[in-house]
Amino acid sequence: MQSSIRPRRSVLYVPAANAKAMAKSGTLDCDAIVYDLEDAVAPGAKADAREALKAYFDANPSSTKQRVIRVNGAGTEWGAEDFKAAAACRPDAILLPKVEHPLGILSAAAELDRLGLEGVQLWAMIETPLGIVNIGDIARLGAQPDSRLVCFVVGSNDLAKETGVPLPKGRSTLLHWLLQVVIHARAYGLDVVDGVYNDFRDQAGFEAECEEGVVLGFDGKTLIHPSQIAFANQAFAPSPSELAEAQRIVSAFAQPENTDKGVIALEGKMVERLHLDIARKTLAKAGSTQA
Ligand code: COA
Ligand code: MG
């Protein structure tokens, strides 16, 4: 499904078992929140977390932010109950962990169809070797409107764990796999969000990794702490100079002498219609964050 432009610059995980963080979540300036029932919740706290989540959505039935619920995998002892609870909350999306095959997404979509929940989309975590190996088959669902799939989320901690590679600064060990996820998302019109930066007291390291995510082509970054939101919002939005340049390109092609031209010169640079497309997208992206 080709997603319309929805900002995904900052996607904050909030453990559903953490009452304080849950209460704070509605006040934070991130684009999306992932209420987590999976990795951030200990096995003994799963049932309470589910109840806390349902109570939270009952008390807060709507939000200006995108709200996503991460469930435990369908193959785990908590998966079915989590999915039922998540669907009952009617979030914007349900995030499926450790997706390794299109089937998991298709059966989640079929279940949402059965429940008549038209508005609930699916996001998929890519965080295992098989998820990377099968990324083409999984991403292809993006072109299939009834799959509900709109966004990939990289799980870099699990990817490092499952492959046994270290996770050094700069993530040289993961780059090849990260790029696989990005290019397949782009091929099928999906959004794609980068993994988390664990050391939330290391602001400089976090900022460097955000900038790396921008260069790799991600739409945004998953976050673990409120202190990471502001920089992610800035890093993944078009900068003032990019916006000004986009505006100049749009204005130049709108000039009567240029409306029929495929290529023009602007400030000493060649500018083609493909650059006009990019400029329009940049302006739309900036607009989406001002809504
Ligand atoms: N969402 C919302 N609020 C959060 C938050 C989060 N992810 N992380 C911290 N906060 C809140 C704290 O509750 C605290 O609130 P207060 O100002 O009302 O007291 C404030 O931000 C400052 O928190 P701080 O004391 O610096 O951190 P902490 O020790 O409470 O929590 C973590 C640190 C890592 C345990 C916590 O940030 C966390 O659980 N993050 C998410 C982890 C997760 O979801 N992992 C799974 C995906 S990788
Ligand atoms: Mg994980």
Side-chain angles (χ1 to χ4, degrees), residues 13 38-39 70 97-98 125 127 155-159:
Y13 284 107
E38 201 221 10
D39 286 348
R70 184 166 75 168
K98 302 182 177 69
M125 301 241 21
E127 51 183 343
S156 25
N157 284 325
D158 269 299
L159 204 46

Side-chain angles (χ1 to χ4, degrees), residues 12-15 18 20-22 24-25 28 36 39-40 70 157 196 200-201 223-226:
L12 178 69
Y13 284 107
V14 178
N18 181 338
K20 220 164 106 183
M22 289 288 282
K24 202 175 180 95
S25 67
L28 298 168
D36 192 21
D39 286 348
R70 184 166 75 168
N157 284 325
V196 299
F200 62 88
R201 303 279 183 229
L223 312 175
I224 53 169
H225 194 276

